[in-house]
Amino acid sequence: MILGDSITAGYGLPEAEAWPVKLQQALQAAGKPVQVIGAGVSGDTTAGGKARLDWALADKPDAVIVALGGNDGLRGLPPAASQANLEDILARLKARNIPVLLAGMLAPPNLGADYGRDFAAIFQNLAKAHPEAVFYPFLLDGVAGEERLNQADRIHPAPAGVAVMVERMMPSVDALLGKARARGA
């Protein structure tokens, strides 16, 4: 399951081009018979993800990718609050023995260097506090800032950007699936 925001929900894309769909296709093509549940809500913040975690877990996923924080950064929300929300999500998943991949996010540069540094530290801090989680430092690695890989809003990936996301994340997702297999999922 991917607990996320508009990037997970496939904002601006046909459903068949959304990140969860493309990730599932890539995993199946690699011989991994998995179902990827897209639990993305456009506009969601870390607080929103925290509030709907139990609902999302009703599908009983064997592993969870946490891909939240982009809207917190776009709105300039306090990094400490975002970190506390993500900490709560990670702690609740750990308590349920559900393997996690934490996908990091960066704040937009227009909020200033100090905010950007504090925001990036959220994910570094959580990765250190949760060494059991697979850490993927930046969800949009190789996509952010690349005009041809993004939709006109320059925020959401275009189909070519989704392909880059999937390709770059595959080693981390494989590590997550290994953790799920190790726990008997």
Side-chain angles (χ1 to χ4, degrees):
M1 180 178 79
I2 305 172
L3 182 68
D5 51 30
S6 57
I7 294 170
T8 303
Y11 177 86
L13 298 174
E15 186 177 336
E17 298 295 327
W19 171 40
V21 173
K22 291 300 188 180
L23 180 60
Q24 178 174 310
Q25 289 172 353
L27 289 166
Q28 289 177 346
K32 295 170 176 55
V34 300
Q35 176 187 4
V36 177
I37 302 165
V41 174
S42 290
D44 218 355
T45 60
T46 57
K50 174 182 162 183
R52 65 185 174 84
L53 180 62
D54 289 334
W55 168 81
L57 291 176
D59 286 326
K60 300 189 182 332
D62 295 319
V64 175
I65 297 172
V66 177
L68 290 163
N71 289 311
D72 296 48
L74 288 171
R75 296 175 189 177
L77 298 178
S82 301
Q83 183 169 326
N85 292 330
L86 289 168
E87 170 61 40
D88 181 80
I89 291 168
L90 295 175
R92 287 162 59 196
L93 291 169
K94 183 178 181 179
R96 293 179 185 211
N97 196 31
I98 299 173
V100 174
L101 184 154
L102 175 63
M105 185 53 69
L106 298 175
N110 64 314
L111 295 173
D114 289 342
Y115 184 85
R117 191 171 36 259
D118 292 347
F119 191 84
I122 292 170
F123 300 96
Q124 300 294 330
N125 294 340
L126 290 168
K128 287 177 189 162
H130 292 274
E132 74 283 356
V134 176
F135 181 49
Y136 186 76
F138 183 39
L139 178 62
L140 297 173
D141 182 45
V143 177
E146 297 293 330
E147 188 174 342
R148 68 179 183 78
L149 299 178
N150 286 281
Q151 297 177 43
D153 65 7
R154 296 182 180 181
I155 295 172
H156 298 95
V162 171
V164 170
M165 288 173 61
V166 169
E167 179 184 345
R168 289 185 179 220
M169 288 190 85
M170 282 297 280
S172 296
V173 174
D174 279 339
L176 176 65
L177 293 176
K179 288 177 177 279
R181 280 190 303 276
R183 72 176 267 272

